[in-house]
Amino acid sequence: MKASKGSPLLEKVKQRGDLYAAMCPSRGVLEHVTSQWGVLVLVALKEEGTHRFSELRRKVGGVSEKMLAQTLQALEQDGFVHREAHPVIPPHVDYSLTPLGEEVAVHVEALTTWIEDNVARVMTARTKAPPRKKAS
């Protein structure tokens, strides 16, 4: 459900979102920010500033052109990423974080740092987890 200007949903969301509510737009924001590619794009832009599309694609290993374009578009629509197209040939487009994007990237970066610092502990826990029985 999209919150249109002046709608009761938008008025309620202006106060605070509710991730547990099925129709709350905060779920879409959560999906964009915490998707595999969303996290990596936000952190790359936070760590190293403005990037061109091809630079981001190289930085975020494994992302397809299509997925990167979709991710950037979603983050731009949410107000996290600024897209600046320069009127030159060949086309030159820069991506950077907006002030709102800087805010959310700080939180996402804290999570990614924790994961990188603790991946060995997680992998150890995985090896110690009892095998699950297959459903028949």
Side-chain angles (χ1 to χ4, degrees), residues 15-136:
Q15 296 168 21
R16 186 170 197 278
D18 181 1
L19 288 170
Y20 294 109
M23 300 305 289
C24 185
S26 60
R27 283 197 182 182
V29 176
L30 179 69
E31 182 180 336
H32 296 158
V33 170
T34 62
S35 72
Q36 176 183 8
W37 307 122
V39 166
L40 296 174
V41 165
L42 289 168
V43 172
L45 291 173
K46 182 180 181 309
E47 288 178 348
E48 299 175 19
T50 301
H51 278 64
R52 291 178 71 175
F53 186 89
S54 58
E55 292 169 338
L56 270 174
R57 184 143 184 248
R58 280 191 297 275
K59 175 78 176 168
V60 181
V63 67
S64 69
E65 236 177 83
K66 179 181 177 182
M67 283 308 303
L68 181 56
Q70 288 176 350
T71 300
L72 286 165
Q73 184 178 37
L75 293 172
E76 182 184 7
Q77 288 174 344
D78 287 343
F80 299 129
V81 170
H82 173 71
R83 179 184 187 273
E84 185 174 353
H86 302 279
V88 295
I89 296 177
H92 177 131
V93 180
D94 289 323
Y95 294 92
S96 59
L97 293 176
T98 64
L100 189 62
E102 290 280 351
E103 277 184 56
V104 75
V106 167
H107 299 287
V108 172
E109 185 180 45
L111 176 61
T112 61
T113 300
W114 186 93
I115 291 169
E116 288 179 329
D117 290 346
N118 291 281
V119 69
R121 291 171 53 205
V122 173
M123 299 309 290
T124 299
R126 282 184 184 178
T127 62
K128 291 179 180 177
R132 298 194 69 159
K133 293 181 182 177
K134 293 182 180 178
S136 22

